[in-house]
């Protein structure tokens, strides 16, 4: 997970520096917004991994927890929705 | 026979969620208060309406009274602990399996005692708990062993082999079981600690500390028993490695008198946690009270750890301890009622947080 982030930063930083020299953004604004959404989704997915397995564990013990488990599992999904706002601001 | 190296990451989230749910379903004060007033038949019926339903129903036609309760408890315990092993992956599996070897040790001791006392193999088999590493077939063959020597030979290629073979000579010379039982306990505790002491994971460090506390308590308990019985035994022979509190040499000096030992424990790192237990020991002069207080202290500590580190081995460990405690408590109530003890006397036998 972290290795991936480092690799990403390493790839983007030189690009950004080049862009600064040319007084122009390295990637278009819409692409940056798309990136923001993608990263947020990645984070949300990672968060849901743990919550989901805990929720399944709880549901296996007590079926009445299905509703609670479902809500808890999709809570990190709000992050992605917040990130979507960026698309509208930028676009 | 050792814990297989498991691949993959540990699924702490899943296992702890299930374990916490089961921990919450254990009997509480209220249940115990009801159980204390019941006879064995009623306890069995009460258990039928809880967790133990399927076991009580399955065994109901074969046993009755206290036997039914006892067998249902053992079977339920084995079921739950096997579940733990079934769920756990990776490192977590290894930790759980290590701890559950306790039941292998218990089974070996049961078999050896059974042979020693000439009990018939069926009776011994009923007392085994199939929650450890040994599989059912192996245990069945072990129970059939004709002599202690045979049993020791069969255990040769398990982790207990070497220690038992050595202890067998002692047994042969003295004719008492203590060397054998001690060898089994030692092997268990040493296997528990090996390879986990070096780690930078805080939760695992605490797990190690917890195990050290358990070993220390075990040593303290043994020393106290020797000190009180006044037997001419060298406690260093029964010393279990891996604890923090005692060195083997210290232990033999300390066990000469109860007072010195109590002072030593009071001044140690456990002094604060055990002050209630030590007071009890000095006040009532009762070893049973002290041992129960030790158990309660361990249980409380494990509970505390499981709240502080919810995604670690700690909640699983706390559950294992609490479940064992529940089984012991119910057994004590059933046996106590059968023997006609009063409610107060039974209550003294229970360890309730």
């Amino acid at each position: 997970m972290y290795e991936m982030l480092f690799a990403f930063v390493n790839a983007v930083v030189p690009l950004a520096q080049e862009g600064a020299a040319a007084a122009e953004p390295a990637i278009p604004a819409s692409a940056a917004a798309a990136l923001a959404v993608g990263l947020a989704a990645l984070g949300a997915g990672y968060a849901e991994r743990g919550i989901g397995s805990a929720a399944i564990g709880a549901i296996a013990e007590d079926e009445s927890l299905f509703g609670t488990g479902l809500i808890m599992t999709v809570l990190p999904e709000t992050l992605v929705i917040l990130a979507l706002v960026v698309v509208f601001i930028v676009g | 026979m050792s814990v297989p190296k498991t691949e993959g990451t540990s699924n702490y989230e899943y296992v702890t969620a299930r374990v916490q749910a089961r921990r919450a379903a254990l009997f509480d004060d209220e249940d115990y208060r009801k159980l204390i007033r019941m006879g064995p038949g009623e306890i069995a019926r009460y258990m039928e309406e809880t967790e133990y339903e399927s076991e009580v129903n399955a065994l109901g036609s074969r046993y009755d009274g206290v036997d039914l309760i006892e067998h249902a408890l053992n079977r339920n315990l084995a079921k739950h602990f096997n579940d733990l092993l079934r769920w756990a992956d990776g490192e977590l599996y290894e930790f759980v399996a290590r701890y559950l070897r306790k039941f292998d040790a218990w089974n070996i001791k049961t078999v050896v005692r059974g042979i020693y006392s000439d009990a018939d193999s069926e009776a011994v088999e009923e007392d085994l708990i199939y929650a450890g590493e040994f599989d059912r077939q192996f245990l069945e063959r072990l129970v059939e062993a004709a002599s202690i020597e045979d049993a020791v030979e069969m255990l040769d290629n398990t982790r207990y082999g070497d220690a038992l073979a050595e202890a067998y000579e002692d047994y042969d010379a003295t004719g008492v079981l203590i060397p054998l039982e001690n060898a089994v306990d030692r092997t268990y505790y040493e296997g528990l600690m090996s390879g986990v002491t070096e780690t930078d994971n805080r939760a695992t460090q605490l797990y190690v500390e917890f195990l050290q506390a358990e070993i220390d308590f075990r040593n303290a308990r043994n020393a106290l028993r020797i000190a009180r019985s006044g037997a001419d035994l060298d406690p260093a022979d029964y010393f279990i490695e891996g604890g923090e509190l005692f060195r083997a040499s210290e232990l033999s000096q300390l066990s000469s008198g109860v007072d010195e030992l109590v002072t030593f424990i009071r001044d140690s790192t456990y002094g604060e946690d055990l002050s209630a237990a030590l007071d009890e020991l000095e006040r009532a002069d009762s070893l049973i009270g002290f041992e129960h207080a030790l158990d309660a202290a361990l249980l409380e500590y494990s509970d505390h750890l499981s709240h502080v580190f919810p995604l670690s081995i700690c909640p699983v460990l706390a559950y294992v301890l609490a479940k064992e405690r529940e089984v012991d408590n119910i057994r004590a109530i059933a046996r106590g009622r059968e023997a006609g003890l009063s409610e107060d006397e039974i209550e003294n036998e229970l360890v309730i947080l």
Side-chain angles (χ1 to χ4, degrees):
Chain A
M1 172 92 197
Y2 296 113
E3 295 82 21
M4 225 168 74
L5 281 181
F6 283 130
F8 176 76
V9 170
N10 281 342
V12 167
V13 167
L15 270 180
Q17 280 162 350
E18 266 171 48
E24 212 177 86
I27 48 174
S30 54
L35 252 172
V37 178
L39 284 174
L42 199 70
Y46 186 70
E48 277 170 26
R49 166 193 171 275
I51 303 173
S53 65
I56 290 297
I59 294 167
E61 287 299 319
D62 180 359
E63 255 172 74
S64 69
L65 289 173
F66 180 78
T68 323
L70 191 72
I71 291 171
M72 291 299 171
T73 310
V74 298
L75 266 188
E77 210 61 45
T78 50
L79 275 182
V80 187
I81 297 167
L82 286 178
L84 265 182
V85 174
V86 176
V87 175
F88 295 114
I89 294 173
V90 171
Chain B
M1 268 193 214
S2 61
V3 179
K5 275 272 172 226
T6 40
E7 298 295 320
T9 47
S10 312
N11 49 349
Y12 287 115
E13 293 91 350
Y14 180 75
V15 177
T16 48
R18 294 201 74 158
V19 158
Q20 301 274 28
R22 293 199 174 181
R23 174 85 173 79
L26 294 180
F27 287 179
D28 55 16
D29 294 2
E30 190 70 18
D31 291 308
Y32 286 129
R33 221 169 299 139
K34 280 185 213 154
L35 283 173
I36 286 179
R37 298 208 183 87
M38 294 178 183
E42 282 170 291
I43 295 177
R45 218 168 308 133
Y46 186 80
M47 283 165 63
E48 213 180 322
E49 283 158 23
T50 61
E51 256 288 298
Y52 298 91
E53 186 188 356
S54 60
E55 284 80 14
V56 174
N57 283 336
L59 297 165
S61 55
R62 269 196 285 160
Y63 306 103
D64 61 349
V66 183
D67 286 342
L68 172 61
I69 295 169
E70 194 140 325
H71 289 122
L73 287 173
N74 282 349
R75 203 182 260 208
N76 186 272
L77 190 79
K79 180 181 87 179
H80 281 294
F81 290 171
N82 277 323
D83 277 351
L84 290 184
L85 291 175
R86 211 156 42 86
W87 301 332
D89 280 334
E91 202 187 34
L92 179 59
Y93 176 89
E94 211 175 306
F95 286 155
V96 176
R98 269 166 195 267
Y99 197 76
L100 292 184
R101 277 192 205 131
K102 182 187 268 187
F103 294 100
D104 288 335
W106 160 271
N107 285 340
I108 295 177
K109 285 194 273 186
T110 310
V111 168
V112 170
R113 279 181 203 166
I115 301 172
Y116 187 75
S117 64
D118 275 332
D120 67 292
S121 56
E122 259 172 51
V124 176
E125 205 173 335
E126 282 173 1
D127 285 331
L128 299 182
I129 302 173
Y130 300 98
E133 217 173 349
F134 296 156
D135 54 34
R136 204 172 262 265
Q137 273 175 320
F138 179 74
L139 284 170
E140 270 163 21
R141 276 192 294 133
L142 195 62
V143 168
E144 297 297 328
S147 67
I148 294 182
E149 193 173 8
D150 287 349
V152 170
E153 223 160 83
M154 281 168 100
L155 289 161
D156 192 34
N157 49 12
T158 66
R159 58 176 47 252
Y160 305 94
D162 294 342
L164 274 177
E166 213 172 285
Y168 184 74
E169 288 168 21
D170 275 353
Y171 162 74
D172 225 12
T174 57
V176 290
L177 283 180
I178 302 169
L180 288 175
E181 298 190 344
N182 208 38
V184 173
D185 276 342
R186 270 190 183 183
T187 318
Y188 163 68
Y189 281 110
E190 276 156 27
L192 199 59
M193 300 293 291
S194 68
V196 287
T197 34
E198 290 127 30
T199 167
D200 358 309
N201 184 335
R202 184 75 188 121
T204 313
Q205 282 171 356
L206 284 171
Y207 170 65
V208 172
E209 258 171 48
F210 176 82
L211 295 180
Q212 281 170 340
E214 196 175 320
I215 293 175
D216 281 337
F217 288 3
R218 170 81 35 195
N219 278 331
R221 193 176 297 198
N222 285 348
L224 266 177
R225 280 187 187 164
I226 293 176
R228 281 181 57 101
S229 69
D232 187 24
L233 288 167
D234 184 8
D237 286 348
Y238 303 100
F239 178 72
I240 301 162
E241 294 284 338
E244 286 270 276
L245 187 56
F246 302 109
R247 303 271 157 278
S249 51
E250 284 171 355
L251 197 64
S252 31
Q253 285 171 359
L254 286 168
S255 63
S256 51
V258 178
D259 294 338
E260 289 161 53
L261 192 67
V262 169
T263 324
F264 182 78
I265 298 174
R266 210 184 272 281
D267 292 340
S268 72
T269 43
Y270 300 111
E272 217 166 288
D273 301 327
L274 292 182
S275 63
L278 293 167
D279 288 343
E280 167 79 19
L281 183 67
E282 283 180 334
R283 188 177 52 82
D285 202 32
S286 106
L287 199 54
I288 293 176
F290 177 70
E291 291 186 1
H292 285 165
L294 280 185
D295 284 339
L298 264 185
L299 206 57
E300 212 175 304
Y301 184 53
S302 73
D303 256 358
H304 167 71
L305 280 186
S306 80
H307 289 305
V308 181
F309 295 96
L311 290 186
S312 70
I313 172 74
C314 300
V316 185
L317 194 69
Y319 169 70
V320 171
L321 283 178
K323 181 78 192 170
E324 278 182 279
R325 207 44 24 234
E326 177 183 275
V327 166
D328 283 351
N329 279 343
I330 299 177
R331 186 181 296 142
I333 295 175
R335 289 280 177 215
R337 291 305 297 195
E338 192 194 30
L341 296 182
S342 72
E343 284 170 20
D344 286 341
E345 281 170 312
I346 296 175
E347 214 157 328
N348 286 337
E349 292 297 317
L350 305 182
V351 179
I352 306 172
L353 279 189

